[in-house]
Amino acid sequence: MKDTYKHQGLRNRLATVLQEKGVTDAAVLLAIKEIPRHLYMDASFEEYAYQDVAFPIAAEQTISQPYTVGFQSQLLEIKPGEKILEIGTGSGYQTSVLVRLGGVVYTIERQQELYKKTQLLLPKLGYKPKYMYFGDGYKGLPQFAPFDKIIVTCGAPFLPKALLAQLKIGGRMVIPVGDAQQMMTLITRNSAKEFDKQIIEECAFVPMLTDKSLKNFS
């Protein structure tokens, strides 16, 4: 698990690319510069780590495109100490960005292979979330609600009511919504029953699935 000056240089260049694409939050760009993305991927694919592309990982999932990670993180407007719910831990790269931004992160992963792998990896890299859970992202974590911010890193065919209910008044949720065509959507909770919905841009994520495979976990 080596991180070299060459890797640092590649991260600096990647941050410049993201800034040119519209990721302008200084804290987010600093996180991109600091977090060794190549360590979240198989070593044989290290050459792709600092390209601005998504890349396949285990369990037929992907590590998100760096621009997407930076853009979603920027939309959340995270303040240090805020309670963040992440749906879709995946490789743990987005999780690490949230932790680096000062979030108290609660994260859910439904793929057994990824859950076990990432649960071991994150503490080694120094970006351990507050709580990591194997379960159904549609249900969220009501026992820890409300959350200041919620981020969904997989495409949902609709807005899950359980997640809306777990968002704090004044809180923000960033979620890709749609089937064939997904749209990055920003939800702001204005009151107990009022939500503001803003469509940001078209996007492409792996689908958000239910708990049909959880019975395989042991």
Side-chain angles (χ1 to χ4, degrees):
M1 297 179 71
K2 294 182 178 180
D3 186 31
T4 67
Y5 286 115
K6 178 182 177 181
H7 293 126
Q8 179 65 68
L10 291 171
R11 289 199 293 277
N12 289 340
R13 187 170 68 183
L14 176 60
T16 298
V17 169
L18 301 193
Q19 188 171 21
E20 291 172 349
K21 288 185 174 184
V23 179
T24 57
D25 185 291
V28 173
L29 291 171
L30 183 59
I32 297 296
K33 290 179 181 180
E34 290 187 358
I35 297 173
R37 188 172 185 258
H38 64 284
L39 299 182
Y40 298 76
M41 300 168 62
D42 188 289
S44 58
F45 300 117
E46 183 177 316
E47 64 183 289
Y48 299 98
Y50 297 109
Q51 296 179 20
D52 188 27
V53 294
F55 199 81
I57 54 174
E60 300 181 348
Q61 304 299 297
T62 61
I63 181 171
S64 293
Q65 179 185 1
Y67 167 76
T68 301
V69 171
F71 187 60
Q72 282 194 289
S73 300
Q74 178 171 275
L75 285 174
L76 285 176
E77 298 183 355
I78 295 171
K79 299 178 178 63
E82 287 188 324
K83 189 189 296 185
I84 314 296
L85 174 62
E86 178 190 33
I87 307 300
T89 315
S91 68
Y93 179 65
Q94 174 71 81
T95 313
S96 297
V97 171
L98 299 174
V99 171
R100 177 62 185 81
L101 292 172
V104 179
V105 181
Y106 296 73
T107 183
I108 301 176
E109 176 55 52
R110 66 169 300 281
Q111 297 285 356
Q112 175 184 354
E113 182 179 0
L114 284 175
Y115 173 78
K116 288 185 173 182
K117 182 178 181 180
T118 306
Q119 188 180 44
L120 294 174
L121 176 66
L122 292 179
K124 292 179 182 178
L125 298 178
Y127 297 105
K128 186 177 180 181
K130 175 74 173 180
Y131 185 76
M132 186 172 175
Y133 180 73
F134 176 81
D136 185 351
Y138 278 100
K139 297 178 181 178
L141 291 172
Q143 65 271 40
F144 297 110
F147 295 95
D148 296 290
K149 308 288 167 64
I150 298 177
I151 179 172
V152 180
T153 64
C154 39
F158 54 85
L159 288 171
K161 290 183 179 180
L163 298 186
L164 292 173
Q166 292 170 42
L167 186 63
K168 184 179 181 179
I169 294 175
R172 297 162 73 92
M173 176 165 68
V174 177
I175 178 172
V177 181
D179 289 312
Q181 181 185 41
Q182 298 172 355
M183 301 301 294
M184 189 70 74
T185 306
L186 173 63
I187 304 295
T188 304
R189 187 168 194 174
N190 298 321
S191 67
K193 296 183 179 181
E194 293 180 310
F195 296 85
D196 178 66
K197 178 181 176 182
Q198 182 180 355
I199 304 299
I200 305 298
E201 64 182 21
E202 189 172 354
C203 56
F205 284 77
V206 294
M208 183 177 179
L209 303 176
T210 60
D211 62 355
K212 62 183 179 181
S213 69
L214 297 186
K215 60 180 180 293
N216 297 324
F217 180 69
S218 59

